[in-house]
Amino acid sequence: MNLKDWEKAFKALGQHLRLRIIALLAEGELCVCELEEILGITQPAISQHLRVLKEADLVWEEKVSQWVFYHLNKEKLAAVLQGWLAYLEVPLGDKEEFAADYEKLQQLLENPKVACRPLRKMGNKERGG
């Protein structure tokens, strides 16, 4: 995955109602009318949220006759979360998309312009860090 993929996934996950939908779909497939009943919101609102989740590949749909059932893509959700944690383990300096941030961080650490840095180091020693 790349940064854009995580951005899309986290944007989809960054809304309370979509998190509720994901939690419900983790229990099993549901159609929009069932989500409407449970969540107490309109079909168009639910469809909007499902569209965002589908675009992030976190939800998939299955059409059965005139009904559409929604499923949580647990594999994709796990890949997003595990992948992000693994990505954070890679040093910032090894990430091309953060080269400018890494350079500024190194400059700040070498020549702190912010008064909190020396105080923070003192605090870490007091805590055994």
Side-chain angles (χ1 to χ4, degrees):
M1 293 188 80
N2 62 41
L3 215 49
K4 286 287 184 193
D5 294 329
W6 281 308
E7 182 180 349
K8 183 183 271 189
F10 287 130
K11 181 178 179 182
L13 294 170
Q15 207 280 345
H16 179 77
L17 196 58
R18 289 195 285 268
L19 289 175
R20 289 176 65 194
I21 291 170
I22 285 176
L24 289 165
L25 293 177
E27 296 294 314
E29 67 181 23
L30 293 168
C31 68
V32 172
C33 63
E34 293 167 325
L35 289 167
E36 234 182 317
E37 182 71 27
I38 295 166
L39 299 171
I41 62 172
T42 66
Q43 179 272 327
I46 290 171
S47 293
Q48 276 288 85
H49 290 291
L50 287 169
R51 180 185 55 76
V52 172
L53 291 168
K54 282 181 3 187
E55 286 175 359
D57 197 28
L58 297 172
V59 167
W60 58 278
E61 62 184 32
E62 174 186 22
K63 188 165 175 134
V64 179
S65 187
Q66 78 257 24
W67 303 102
V68 178
F69 291 91
Y70 292 87
H71 302 262
L72 178 60
N73 186 345
K74 291 180 182 180
E75 293 81 17
K76 174 68 176 213
L77 181 59
V80 166
L81 299 175
Q82 291 169 354
W84 181 248
L85 289 174
Y87 181 79
L88 293 177
E89 293 296 320
V90 175
L92 193 63
D94 293 346
K95 299 171 186 168
E96 193 173 310
E97 61 270 30
F98 288 107
D101 293 338
Y102 180 72
E103 186 177 316
K104 289 178 184 176
L105 174 63
Q106 293 308 307
Q107 290 170 1
L108 180 67
L109 292 174
E110 290 169 10
N111 185 19
K113 297 177 183 174
V114 182
C116 64
R117 181 57 54 184
L119 292 174
R120 182 73 175 146
K121 286 182 181 178
M122 284 176 28
N124 281 343
K125 288 180 183 174
E126 291 170 6
R127 288 192 303 260

